[in-house]
């Protein structure tokens, strides 16, 4: 089933104290992150205060009517019969959930609504254009309750308990809930022998001199094995263990089902800056290291080049002057 993705960015965010769509997510705003995350779909943003062109942006016909008005405009402007709708504060929702929802929806369903044992999530799921008349009738009668909509339509309810998607249903409503997502994150990337590892070491040292804390994640594009042959953990894994973990008072190593980068970030302590070595094709903010005239990293969110030469069209940083780059990072990301 082909679906579009609709993002509700029109909430008043009274509890947060500011518009949620403009909140920070590892150097991007919430709405920028979600638009980029769903770039393989037709994306429609419901917002009365901003225009996200060239992304299709729609405004409410029924003012101050809550999410129902946004869902209505998204459905009316979608080129597909079905739309996966999510609010901009559900920042943990990934494109895999859209694919999952589309795979279990049938053309007879008017909606697919997700739930856990704790609650139902009526503003995150798939909706059909078939419900447009019902939405219009509710809005005309000033019935703005989303749960009333759910009761009026033929919805399929899917419990996500024990699935890999259960943790994605977390709303960011209060400033204290933002802490995990506000840490600036940058990638220092480049081809092999580009000087990135040496530069990161110097950057970490310079940050420490300025009483700033950081964590470093190394992305290895090649396979590697934590559980070496003839070790106990190797045989546990060979005999069918899903994960193995070995630890002492100083460190641990965890091997098992592969995790996405966001899951790994959650394991980190609270720091001023997260540095990833690698991920040259990611959508994170990137700075490319190079000692040649060749550039290999994706230009998406590439903020600058770290080199011993200059490249037009980019901010340039001297690879031999990590102190200058450190000052720039502290100022730019306000750490």
């Amino acid at each position: 089933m082909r679906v579009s993705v609709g993002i509700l960015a029109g909430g008043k965010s009274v509890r947060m104290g500011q518009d949620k769509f403009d909140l920070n997510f590892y150097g991007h705003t919430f709405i920028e992150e979600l638009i980029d995350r769903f770039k393989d779909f037709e994306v429609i943003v419901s917002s009365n205060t901003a225009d996200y062109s060239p992304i299709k942006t729609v405004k409410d016909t029924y003012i101050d009517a809550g999410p129902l008005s946004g869902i209505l405009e998204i459905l009316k402007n979608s080129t597909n019969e079905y739309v996966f709708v999510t609010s901009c504060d559900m920042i943990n929702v990934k494109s895999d959930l859209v694919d999952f929802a589309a795979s279990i929806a049938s053309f007879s369903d008017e909606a697919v609504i997700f739930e856990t044992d704790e609650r139902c999530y009526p503003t995150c799921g798939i909706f059909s254009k078939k419900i447009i008349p019902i939405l219009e009738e509710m809005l005309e009668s000033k019935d703005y309750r989303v749960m009333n909509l759910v009761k009026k339509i033929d919805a399929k309810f899917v419990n996500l308990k024990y699935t890999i998607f259960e943790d994605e249903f977390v709303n960011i409503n209060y400033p204290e809930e933002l802490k995990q997502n506000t840490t600036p994150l940058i990638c220092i990337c480049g081809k092999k022998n580009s000087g990135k590892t040496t530069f990161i070491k110097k950057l970490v040292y310079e940050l420490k001199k300025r009483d700033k804390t950081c964590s470093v994640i190394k992305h290895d594009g090649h396979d590697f094995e934590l559980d070496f042959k003839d070790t106990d953990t190797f045989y546990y894994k060979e005999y069918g263990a899903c994960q193995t973990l070995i630890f002492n008072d100083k460190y641990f190593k965890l091997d098992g089902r592969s995790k996405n980068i966001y899951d790994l970030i959650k394991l980190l302590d609270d720091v001023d800056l997260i540095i990833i070595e690698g991920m040259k094709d990611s959508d994170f903010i990137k700075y490319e290291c190079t000692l040649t005239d060749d550039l290999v990293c994706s230009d998406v969110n590439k903020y600058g080049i770290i080199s011993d030469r200059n490249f037009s069209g980019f901010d340039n940083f001297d690879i031999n002057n990590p102190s200058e780059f450190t000052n720039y990072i502290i100022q730019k990301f306000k750490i």
Side-chain angles (χ1 to χ4, degrees):
M1 175 184 290
R2 289 182 59 84
V3 299
S4 302
V5 172
I7 303 173
L8 299 169
K12 292 184 177 180
S13 308
V14 174
R15 287 172 291 184
M16 183 60 66
Q18 69 178 99
D19 290 329
K20 292 181 184 178
F21 62 80
D22 204 32
L23 293 172
N24 178 60
F25 184 83
Y26 301 122
H28 303 287
T29 64
F30 272 29
I31 193 67
E32 288 171 342
E33 173 65 24
L34 290 175
I35 288 173
D36 186 72
R37 191 177 293 173
F38 300 123
K39 61 180 178 291
D40 292 335
F41 301 87
E42 177 191 45
V43 176
I44 307 165
V45 178
S46 167
S47 173
N48 294 319
T49 58
D51 184 355
Y52 296 98
S53 299
I55 299 300
K56 189 181 296 184
T57 307
V58 297
K59 297 184 183 298
D60 290 343
T61 299
Y62 298 87
I63 306 302
D64 294 329
L68 289 188
S69 183
I71 294 172
L72 172 64
E73 299 305 326
I74 287 171
L75 287 173
K76 288 169 66 174
N77 285 274
S78 169
T79 60
N80 291 308
E81 171 68 24
Y82 289 85
V83 181
F84 181 94
V85 175
T86 185
S87 55
C88 68
D89 61 349
M90 298 193 71
I91 197 63
N92 292 323
V93 170
K94 313 291 193 310
S95 60
D96 286 350
L97 181 60
V98 182
D99 294 332
F100 172 72
S103 71
I104 61 177
S106 67
F107 289 103
S108 61
D109 296 325
E110 293 183 334
V112 174
I113 306 296
F114 294 117
E115 58 185 358
T116 62
D117 283 354
E118 288 72 30
R119 59 175 291 192
C120 174
Y121 295 86
T123 58
C124 186
I126 284 183
F127 294 92
S128 166
K129 283 178 175 284
K130 298 172 188 174
I131 71 170
I132 287 177
I134 299 173
L135 282 167
E136 291 176 330
E137 180 182 340
M138 291 180 65
L139 290 164
E140 284 291 340
S141 63
K142 297 188 179 346
D143 181 0
Y144 303 148
R145 291 181 59 83
V146 182
M147 286 307 299
N148 286 348
L149 168 68
V150 173
K151 295 174 184 177
K152 291 175 180 289
I153 61 178
D154 183 15
K156 175 186 291 181
F157 290 88
V158 179
N159 194 317
L160 295 178
K161 187 175 181 180
Y162 304 125
T163 73
I164 62 173
F165 303 110
E166 184 177 14
D167 291 339
E168 297 188 9
F169 285 80
V170 178
N171 297 82
I172 306 296
N173 290 318
Y174 296 95
E176 56 267 26
E177 295 172 335
L178 268 177
K179 188 174 183 181
Q180 179 179 304
N181 297 319
T182 54
T183 304
L185 183 153
I186 62 171
C187 295
I188 306 292
C189 48
K191 63 184 180 181
K192 188 176 181 180
N193 298 323
S194 62
K196 59 183 182 294
T197 301
T198 299
F199 188 81
I200 291 174
K201 290 177 183 177
K202 293 178 180 178
L203 172 59
V204 170
Y205 177 72
E206 291 290 337
L207 287 166
K208 184 177 181 180
K209 285 202 311 184
R210 292 160 174 76
D211 295 322
K212 306 297 181 183
T213 57
C214 69
S215 292
V216 180
I217 299 174
K218 181 178 176 64
H219 175 254
D220 194 326
H222 305 282
D223 290 336
F224 60 91
E225 183 65 62
L226 287 180
D227 293 323
F228 295 102
K229 185 175 175 59
D230 295 329
T231 63
D232 291 340
T233 53
F234 174 85
Y235 288 113
Y236 297 152
K237 188 176 178 183
E238 285 289 290
Y239 275 85
C242 295
Q243 290 183 298
T244 59
L245 187 151
I246 185 168
F247 74 100
N248 60 25
D249 291 340
K250 295 182 179 179
Y251 67 91
F252 73 89
K253 290 183 178 180
L254 175 67
D255 191 22
R257 181 175 64 84
S258 114
K259 290 180 173 288
N260 64 47
I261 186 63
Y262 300 104
D263 292 329
L264 297 177
I265 290 170
K266 291 177 184 177
L267 299 175
L268 301 177
D269 291 335
D270 184 29
V271 291
D272 295 314
L273 178 70
I274 298 171
I275 304 168
I276 297 179
E277 178 181 346
M279 296 193 72
K280 63 183 177 65
D281 296 318
S282 75
D283 295 329
F284 288 123
I285 293 173
K286 297 188 289 290
Y287 297 88
E288 179 168 356
C289 278
T290 183
L291 296 173
T292 70
D293 292 331
D294 298 325
L295 298 177
V296 299
C297 299
S298 164
D299 285 343
V300 176
N301 292 323
K302 183 157 68 178
Y303 278 32
I305 309 295
I306 303 168
S307 183
D308 56 0
R309 61 204 71 195
N310 287 327
F311 293 81
S312 61
F314 296 97
D315 287 338
N316 289 273
F317 303 94
D318 186 352
I319 198 169
N320 297 308
N321 191 351
S323 178
E324 176 188 49
F325 183 77
T326 305
N327 291 336
Y328 158 82
I329 290 294
I330 290 173
Q331 181 178 6
K332 182 169 185 61
F333 296 104
K334 298 180 176 60
I335 66 175

